[in-house]
Amino acid sequence: MGWERWKVLVEYDGRQHWSDERQRTWDIERLERLADLGWVVVRVNAEQLRMRPHIVVARARERLRQAGAPV
């Protein structure tokens, strides 16, 4: 999920990210490219979404605010 105008992404790290070394390598390289392009990535996992969704929302909201979004 992302907001192109403010270059903020929320990215879910699922099981494949942790169990597949190639996927993890690709994710690391992709995140570096996104950072080089000015994107901010809020990374989340299943436990955060289940147990602390309000914290995930707060993190995303803060990154959007820092980028100039009217939140």
Side-chain angles (χ1 to χ4, degrees), residues 9-70:
L9 292 172
V10 176
E11 180 168 301
Y12 174 75
D13 287 342
R15 289 179 192 251
Q16 188 175 12
H17 171 82
W18 301 105
S19 64
D20 183 333
E21 188 173 10
R22 285 185 182 175
Q23 182 65 48
R24 193 167 46 256
T25 298
W26 164 247
D27 289 345
I28 291 167
E29 292 170 355
R30 184 176 44 76
L31 289 171
E32 286 290 323
R33 283 195 296 275
L34 286 167
D36 289 345
L37 294 171
W39 284 84
V40 174
V41 179
V42 178
R43 295 175 63 192
V44 302
N45 65 22
E47 181 179 346
Q48 290 171 317
L49 292 174
R50 266 193 327 272
M51 305 299 290
R52 299 184 292 275
H54 59 286
I55 293 174
V56 172
V57 170
R59 288 173 52 211
R61 184 179 293 132
E62 180 57 26
R63 296 303 179 267
L64 284 163
R65 184 178 293 117
Q66 290 171 354

